[in-house]
Each structure stands twice: as C-alpha cells, then as structure tokens.
Amino acid sequence: MLLFLSAFALIAIGLVVIYSAGGGPGTRGSMFAAKQFVWTGISMIPFFIILGKGFSKLMEWSYMIYFISLTLLVVVLVSGASVKGAQSWLSIGPFHLQPSEIGKISLALVLSRHLCRYPPNTLSGFLGGLAVAAPAAFLVLLQPDLGSTLVYCFMVFIALITSGTPWRYTGTLIACSLGMLPIAWNFLKGYQKLRLMVFLNPAVDPLGAGYNVIQSRIAVGSGGFLGKGFLQGLQSKLHFLPEPHTDFIFSVFAEEFGFLGTVFLLAIFGLLFCRMISIAIKAKDQRAKVFISMVAGWIWFQTVESIGMSMGILPVTGLPLPFVSYGGSSLLAIIIAIGLISSVGLSSVKMYE
Amino acid sequence: MVDIRRSIDKRLRIWLLFMLAGLLALVVALWFFQVVRTDRYVRLASENRLRMLRFPPIRGEIFDRNGVPLALNLKTFNIMGYPLDIKKYDLLPIISDVLTKHGIPSSPEDLSSRIEKQYWAPYRAVIIVQNLTLTQMTAILSDPVFPRLLFPIQVTCRTYPAGSIASHILGYVAEISREELVSRGDSGYKGGDFIGKNGIEKQYEDLLRGKSGEEILEVDARGRKIRSLTEKVPEKGKDLHLTVDLGAQRLVETLFGDFRGAAVAMDVETGEIRVLFSAPGYDNNPLAWGVSGTEWAHLIYDESKPMMNRAISGVYPPASTFKPLVGLAALSEKAITRNTSFFCGGTFRFGGRVFKCWQKYGHGNERIVSAIKDSCDIFFYQAGLKTGIDNLVKWGNLFGVGKVTGIDLPGESTGNIAGKDWKMEKFHEKWYQGDTVNYSIGQGYLLVTPIQMLRMYAALANGGKLFLPRLVSVNQPQYTQLDLNGYNLNLVRNGLIDVVKRGTGMKAGEFGVSVAGKTGTAQNPHGLDHALFVGYAPDKEPRYAAAVIIEAGEHGSSVAAPIVGELLAYLVTHDETYSKQN
C-alpha cells in the first residue's frame, strides 16, 4: 500500500512542520500539532468505514452525498462563521468544519458517476456535466472562497478530459473561460484584485500586499541546499510569516529543510500521483478512473498552487498544501478521498485473483 | 466499451505525465530559488542589504458627545536600529552612553535584553528607546557621538486629557502581553504594540486599533538606504464619539468630593449613557505610558479599589429604591389596588419576628402612592408578602435585575436576583416568608449594580422600554418593550413625584428642574450604610434618568438625592431639544 504510506509520510512531515511553524516547544506550535494529530486519528474512522463499505457503495449514494454537501454549503452561507472576509466555517460543537472541503469529495463522486452514465462526447452530455457541477462551484464562490472555486473548476475540467470529452469541446471551454476573465475581474473583491496585481509585479505594491510574498520568498530562498535545520527557521517564528502553519507552511518547510527537503517532499507527492493513476488504470470501474483523476487534480492543483505561491511565482489564494497544512477539514476530506481510492485498489486486486 | 476504457487509460497516462511535469517545474523553480538564489530579495537578504521596518498602527481618538477630546494621540518618537548593525559595530556601549548623557539611563544589558525581546531577524528594525519628545529626540540625534545607523520614527502615545474623571469609561492602553499575543493569534499584533486593556479602549479595540505600516528597503554595504522596495503607510483607526457628556461627568466628580461610590445617567429615550462615574478614580495617563511594578501593585492592592468600575461592577442592595418595583409588581399581580391600605405603627410582627419601619413612630394608614412617598417599610412588607416571592422575582427579571445590562464596557457584574431556586442551590435551604419581607424593601440577598437600577428607572420613566445602555451611539437603539399597565405605572410614578415634592427626596428638587425618584439607605455589613438615590427628570416628560450610590453615605435623602438632582438639572438644562421647548 504505497499510496497509503506516501499519504502518511506527508501527514507526518506536516505534523513536524506545523510544530515548528507554531514556534516549537512550549508554544502554540505544539497545540496545533497535537490538534492536527487528533484530526488524523478522527479521520481514520471514516477511512476504515469506507474501506469496509467499498467504493461502489458510496458511488450509489453519490447523489445523496452531493445533495447533503450542497445543503451544507447553503447553511454555511446563511449562518456560518466569517473568517477573514469569507463565510466558510460551520461550527458543530467543538469542531469547525469547512463544507467546501467535503464538497470536493462529493463533487468527484457525483460527477464521475454522471459523466460515465451520460458521456460528454455529445454536446448535451458535456453541458449536462457542467450543469451538475455548477451549483457547488457557485456556492463556494459566493462565500467568497476564490481558491476553492478554482480547485472545483480544475477538478471538473480534469473529469471532462479523462471521461472522453472531444478536444473541440474542451478547446471551446478554455476559450470561453479566457474570454470571461475581464468580466470576472470586475466581480473580484478589492483584496483579490490586489493579490493578482501583486503577483504580476510584487516589487511595486503601494498597499503592502506583496509583503507576505517577499517574506515567504526570503524564507524559501534562505533555506539553501541543506536548509537551516528543524526549528531553526527565522522567518517563520513569532508571526514573521503570516499564517505559517496553514497557507505558508511550505515556506517554513523549505527554510528549515532546504532544497534537499523540498525535492524529497515533491518526490513523495510524485509517488502518490503515480500510485493513484496506476490504481485508476487497473480499475475496471470506469467511474473509479474518472473519480481518481479528479482527486489527483484536486491534490495536484493545491500542491502546485501552494508551493508556487510561497515562491511568489503563483498568486496568493490561501489554499492549504494537501496533507501538510494545518486544518482539520482539509485533512479529513483528503483522507476520505485516499480511503476511497484505496478501496478501488483493493477491489481490483480481488478481481484479478 | 473496451475502447472507451482504453481511451480513458490513455488520457489518464497523459494526465499523470502532466502532473509529474508540473512537479518537475516546481523542482526547477526551487533549484533557482534555493540553490542558485536568483531571487532579488533572497540575494539582498543573504548579502545583508535588506532591511525591514514596521510602523505601529495609529489609534483612533475618542471624543465626548460635544467633541471634547477624551483620548488623544501625542506625537512622540522612537529611536530604531537594526540588530545586524548594532552587533556588527558593537553599538550598545555607545548607545548606552549617549542615552545616559541625555537623561535616559540605560545600561548596555538593559538595551540588549530589550532588543532580544523584539528580535525576529537581524535585518528587522527594533525599538531602542520609545516615546521621546521632539526636543529629546533632536538633542540625542544632534549629539556627535550618536551612531548614524540608528534613526528616529514618529509614533504616537496615548494621552487622556480628562484623566481620572473619565478613566472608568475609557480604560487605558498598554503594551500587549505575551498571553494576549498568543490568544490574538494571526490578527497582526506584534510584541511592543499597544492594546486596549480596559473600558472603551478594550471594548472597541478592533475599531480603534488601525493598521500597521511596513517598509522594506535596500541598503548599501554601509547600511545606508538606497531605495525603498515596498512601503505601506500605517493607517489610523476609527475615531469614536461617545454619548458621554464630559461637562456632566466633571460636575459629578466635583459633587462627589471625597465620597466613594458611583453615578450613572442615561437618556431615557435612547439608552445613551451621559455620565458613568466611579470613585475613587485613577489617572489612566501613567498606565498608558507604562508604570513600574510597584506603582501597579499600589493601584491593584489599594483597599479602596480605585481600578474597579463601581458603576457597572459594584454590587449593592438596592434598598428602598427597589420599592417602586415591588409596588408595580403588587399592583400588576392584583395583590393590591390603589386603595389597598396597610397600617404602619412602626413595627410589623411576622413569623415570630419583629420587622421595623425606618420611621419608628409609624406612618399610620398608607396606600401605594403615599407609601412610596414616605418610603414606608411596613406597607411594602405586606404588599411583598401578598405578591409572593415568585412574582417579585418575575418582575425583577422583567426589569433586568441581577442580569448584565449589556453595556458596551468590559467587566460588568450580574448582581443577584435571588429567589427560591437560588437559595436552594446556594444554601440548600428553603425560602422563608421572612426572606420575602426583607426582599420587599430591597435588602437581604438582593444585589444590583448601579447601571441596573438606572436602566430600571429609565424604563419606569419611558413607559417600559428597557434599553441596552450604550456609550457609543448606534442608529437603532435596542430595547425590550415591557408590557406594563399604564394606570399602575402612573400610580408608581405619582409616588416617585411625591417623593421629591413632599417626601424623603425633597433635596433632589432644589435645582430648578422637576425631579421624580426614590431614596434608599442600604445596610452595609462592613460599616456605615450606603446612600442611594435613583430618579429621572423632568418628572412629567422624562428625558434623563440618573442613579447615585454613595458608599457609607448613611442617608440617601441628604447625600445622594442632591447629587442626582443637580446632575439631572444639568443634563436637562443642557439638552437642546428641551431648552427649545421652554
């Protein structure tokens, strides 16, 4: 179970970096790391339930699951807690959940089922697929959580491609999206526009939004080949980097473990993707193939975006680095997704016997 | 079918290759960043040519309702330096000499530990000395031995022109503590920042705070600025205009003299607080500038508790000021009518005990209006017994007795409404009728804060609007409309008018404005009785309510009543709408 091992290697790295990012021993770093550890434990419950039930069982329930997620996304808009201008948190007792994270799984389930039932090789199938996915993406955009919306869109895009959309449709979709950009620009909030502008030119930034990016770049760069060593990063300590345990966790890691460490981390991600696609190819269930490609799209998009952002070569969107960043909901969602993929892997092994 | 699956597999392989290519691109980018170090900022940082500087946020200022300043920012200067330069040129002894020469004694060890506390990175500026006046700053800078690598920045320091008169309203700011830094998380506070520690400064911290500024600059090999790479100027927080009238506040302070206690006044139609005063007071100016441990201990352990805001945190028995509520409850629950009379012979025997009236010769036959006027204890003992403790507690609850009022200040006390359930839980003892007798005249287990009493009387004055008291006005004042019988309410209000016209509170009516209200003298187990008066004015068309408690003031009628009278007269005569009408 190389998939499982690489996922847990990433989570373990995450715990170490979260600890360091929070300031090391006797600070909130240990509290964050402990919380994340508890979340990992909690996430194992659904993980094993899913392994027991099997992928196809959940596939049967996919419409219901999707409906529940959409309801949660509406609830969070109406009564959720607002954090940093986005209404994306739902409090259930001591737990704070981000429905948009669970929404990613439900979207992957429902869309892979739908696209295999009604293949997008005709125009109506293609538009039907878009129509199924649209409400989820739209509700997340309303929060407004631009980063997650981009993840949703990217997942839909990958699903359409793998499920056999003719290239002329995808081409048109891309052209349309590009055409929409100037219109979308007007809908962006001031700070979002600023982030994008800062990305285009971080040095000239009258309002200081580039400040974080510059600090993050220095953190990554000062790591050098070998890194400064565990707990030795200066940039990340004492609020020097904004949110070092979530959005900018890679900067902390890169500073402390250097180029060697970052290549190692990326190699684990590479291994993870290879295993996912290999399970997808071995699977007989067409829906599983599309599902896995979507989950891979989700993890890949966030990984590239989060790492690119900390080097200042991609705009700041506030997406967590999968497995590594502090955050219960995001960890829970990803472990569930890994559980589903493992279940696909197990069932195809059984069939070959 | 097989065909479709094969086409999907082909696409999956392409997708995998694409993903791996993406990761590889990241590796290449990281190679450039971490090994070749092509990034400009990384290069500047590694060559020690990058400097970062933070400008603390500028706090919003606070004014009273007439625009009189209550909290202002004084322009002062901090002398800053970079740990990198200080270490490289061994500047600490020089700095210590210069500062000591200019009357700021600081040993190299002090400086070193101060720098240590603020240290983040060698190229991030730290404060060497703070809060210098312009003269101090120029004197130090023009000293020939002053190290050129240090530089001043302009900052602000909080000052409170009204000092102890308004310190319980405003609170004060001080340097953020380690615990606050941790609990505030990623909200942008840095060590050395100022944060509201009490009062309005604490309550409206998020509005007042403002935003910090930052500058990243490039310097040459000798530490001189070449250019600014990014710059963000600090932003000022929001100015606050309070509902408080400093003139009235000042008047109360004069009237109090050396008394301890509290005074509060409210606009009965909006819930806006006009006066909130607690004595003894403390000067909040030195707290904002930083006090030593011993000075702080003096304030905290002073047995007169000057830091305590008695207006919202002090709990007292309401004593006779509670009687109008008992009367209203008795009328509303139909335990009595306007014509029910009880005979007061100075004593009341009940359950084998003798309860006395304050007037030992007795009041004769009393009805509700005259009983309020005379503050007859015997009448209310019996009215309370007929109403029953549960109904009294119910009416107390309606008027917010024993509950926080929700005023926009931290540290409000709840008081205690008591009652059967409370006594059972607290003492595992049942409620006796005798307890009800004491309760009916506002004694016993009943405890209230001055702001609660004020709000209750304001609701009597305005026809049952129980306001959320505010120090910062809002467009839509919040209140709960109580369902009161107008006829019963008028009986109680007539009683309150008579108190000042010809009853126990005549001294409140000597200031040219018609006042209605009630005196109170609360038993104090620790010493002399507390004196209370709560009332409103003008008596027929109330505009303002006020409550005063004087600790160990002995008699509400002679000590507290005139203060309320003079305060209400001030408020009413300074009211624009009122003076236009008359």
Side-chain angles (χ1 to χ4, degrees), chain B residues 45-265:
Chain B
S46 65
E47 288 168 6
N48 290 334
R49 285 175 52 211
L50 190 82
R51 297 287 186 274
M52 289 184 171
L53 182 59
R54 180 172 179 275
F55 305 99
I58 304 166
R59 226 174 153 75
E61 294 172 302
I62 307 175
F63 303 89
D64 91 335
R65 65 187 310 263
N66 302 312
V68 181
L70 297 174
L72 291 175
N73 296 328
L74 218 61
K75 288 195 175 86
T76 58
F77 295 87
N78 286 355
I79 291 184
M80 315 283 293
Y82 297 101
L84 184 104
D85 300 331
I86 295 166
K87 197 174 162 207
K88 188 171 162 198
Y89 300 101
D90 195 22
L91 295 178
L92 281 183
I94 307 171
I95 300 171
S96 159
D97 283 352
V98 175
L99 290 180
T100 312
K101 197 161 90 192
H102 289 275
I104 307 165
S106 30
S107 69
E109 292 74 38
D110 291 346
L111 291 171
S112 160
S113 79
R114 193 177 307 162
I115 292 168
E116 185 81 18
K117 258 194 228 161
Q118 306 169 53
Y119 186 87
W120 286 308
Y123 44 82
R124 173 121 186 177
V126 292
I127 302 166
I128 313 278
V129 216
Q130 59 182 359
N131 285 336
L132 297 181
T133 62
L134 182 66
T135 18
Q136 278 177 308
M137 189 271 290
T138 42
I140 293 174
L141 250 71
S142 51
D143 194 307
V145 293
F146 179 77
R148 291 298 120 202
L149 286 165
L150 305 187
F151 56 96
I153 63 168
Q154 192 192 302
V155 292
T156 58
C157 182
R158 204 63 155 172
T159 143
Y160 303 103
S164 63
I165 296 174
S167 57
H168 288 110
I169 300 173
L170 295 168
Y172 59 98
V173 294
E175 236 175 76
I176 189 165
S177 70
R178 194 140 208 101
E179 296 75 45
E180 283 166 327
L181 259 183
V182 172
S183 70
R184 289 265 169 174
D186 288 319
S187 50
Y189 287 91
K190 301 277 193 289
D193 272 2
F194 280 77
I195 187 169
K197 297 274 186 180
N198 211 337
I200 290 288
E201 294 272 28
K202 183 178 185 183
Q203 184 79 18
Y204 290 99
E205 170 68 20
D206 293 342
L207 280 181
L208 288 167
R209 183 181 158 210
K211 284 189 179 138
S212 61
E214 261 148 349
E215 188 182 6
I216 299 184
L217 45 137
E218 185 180 340
V219 296
D220 65 11
R222 295 172 61 191
R224 289 172 305 198
K225 176 175 173 178
I226 296 176
R227 67 176 71 87
S228 178
L229 296 173
T230 90
E231 195 176 0
K232 180 181 148 196
V233 290
E235 282 173 48
K236 192 180 175 187
K238 215 170 128 43
D239 285 349
L240 283 184
H241 291 264
L242 304 187
T243 60
V244 169
D245 184 332
L246 187 65
Q249 188 86 12
R250 203 176 285 280
L251 170 74
V252 169
E253 195 237 11
T254 321
L255 295 176
F256 259 63
D258 290 333
F259 281 130
R260 290 178 192 175
V264 267

Side-chain angles (χ1 to χ4, degrees), chain A residues 28 154 158 161-162 164-165 167 203 205-208 211 214-215 217-218 220-225 234-235 238-240 243 245 250 254 258-259 262-263 266 269-270 273-274 277 280-281 284 286 289 293 296-297 300 304 307-308 311 313, chain B residues 1 4-5 7-9 11-16 18-20 22-23 26-27 29-31 33-35 37 39-42 45 50 52-54 119-124 178 181-182 185-186 189-190 214-216 229-233 235:
Chain A
R28 51 197 198 120
F154 190 75
I158 294 297
I161 288 187
T162 44
T165 308
W167 296 110
D205 164 32
L207 290 165
Y211 195 75
I214 292 173
Q215 291 188 76
R217 282 160 76 159
I218 296 172
V220 175
S222 63
F225 189 76
L234 280 178
Q235 295 287 341
L238 292 161
H239 310 280
F240 200 41
E243 310 186 41
H245 57 291
F250 182 78
F259 183 66
T262 57
V263 169
L266 285 170
F269 272 110
F273 294 134
C274 288
I277 300 298
I281 289 171
K284 297 212 160 157
Q286 202 180 316
K289 291 174 191 287
S293 75
W300 181 82
V304 171
I307 295 178
M311 280 187 282
I313 57 177
Chain B
M1 219 27 216
I4 291 174
R5 201 165 291 157
S7 118
I8 292 185
D9 288 350
R11 287 174 179 224
L12 282 174
R13 287 202 178 87
I14 297 174
W15 171 217
L16 178 64
F18 185 82
M19 287 195 290
L20 294 180
L23 296 186
L26 285 179
V27 170
L30 284 166
W31 169 264
F33 259 86
Q34 299 195 283
V35 183
R37 303 201 181 178
D39 189 66
R40 182 183 180 190
Y41 300 108
V42 176
L50 190 82
M52 289 184 171
L53 182 59
R54 180 172 179 275
Y119 186 87
W120 286 308
Y123 44 82
R124 173 121 186 177
R178 194 140 208 101
L181 259 183
V182 172
D186 288 319
Y189 287 91
K190 301 277 193 289
E214 261 148 349
E215 188 182 6
I216 299 184
L229 296 173
T230 90
E231 195 176 0
K232 180 181 148 196
V233 290
E235 282 173 48

Side-chain angles (χ1 to χ4, degrees), chain B residues 295-329:
Chain B
E295 286 171 288
W296 178 246
H298 258 284
L299 269 177
I300 288 293
Y301 297 116
D302 188 329
E303 71 55 62
S304 70
K305 293 188 183 154
M307 299 278 286
M308 174 175 163
N309 188 348
R310 289 166 161 80
I312 61 164
S313 317
V315 291
Y316 306 93
S320 301
T321 60
F322 197 64
K323 286 174 183 166
L325 185 67
V326 174
L328 188 63

